[in-house]
Amino acid sequence: MATKKPENLSFEQALDELSLIVTEMEQGELSLEQSLKQFERGIALAGASSSKLQQAEQKVAILMGSDSQSPLTNFDNDLE
């Protein structure tokens, strides 16, 4: 099965996979090479999740109208 790019996963899918990676690494049964590969994947998942969370926060702020002091920025609505 092909691994999806982190940016193509939903927020929940990324967090689930990140949780699995943490569990695997905590067990200490991975080789150094496997650990580095999983660490790299985990960093990518964390970055993608953070980006999606920031987009959601921005959308809520826009909808609530509570962030009138902030400069306007382009909103990328690719959360689906």
Side-chain angles (χ1 to χ4, degrees):
M1 183 172 116
T3 303
K4 285 187 172 182
K5 292 182 179 181
E7 59 271 11
N8 293 336
L9 296 172
S10 71
F11 180 78
E12 293 78 9
Q13 289 171 322
L15 286 183
D16 287 345
E17 186 177 342
L18 190 54
S19 179
L20 289 173
I21 289 172
V22 168
T23 300
E24 284 179 353
M25 292 184 75
E26 285 179 341
Q27 291 174 352
E29 297 177 8
L30 298 175
S31 69
L32 178 59
E33 186 177 323
Q34 290 170 322
S35 293
L36 287 172
K37 188 174 182 178
Q38 289 295 74
F39 182 76
E40 183 178 6
R41 176 75 176 170
I43 293 296
L45 289 165
S49 297
S50 177
S51 177
K52 288 178 194 269
L53 185 57
Q54 288 175 341
Q55 290 174 3
E57 288 173 345
Q58 182 182 14
K59 186 172 184 177
V60 168
I62 290 169
L63 292 172
M64 297 290 294
S66 63
D67 204 6
S68 62
Q69 299 297 326
S70 294
L72 295 177
T73 59
N74 289 335
F75 179 72
D76 186 11
N77 189 16
D78 64 344
L79 294 176
E80 285 93 39

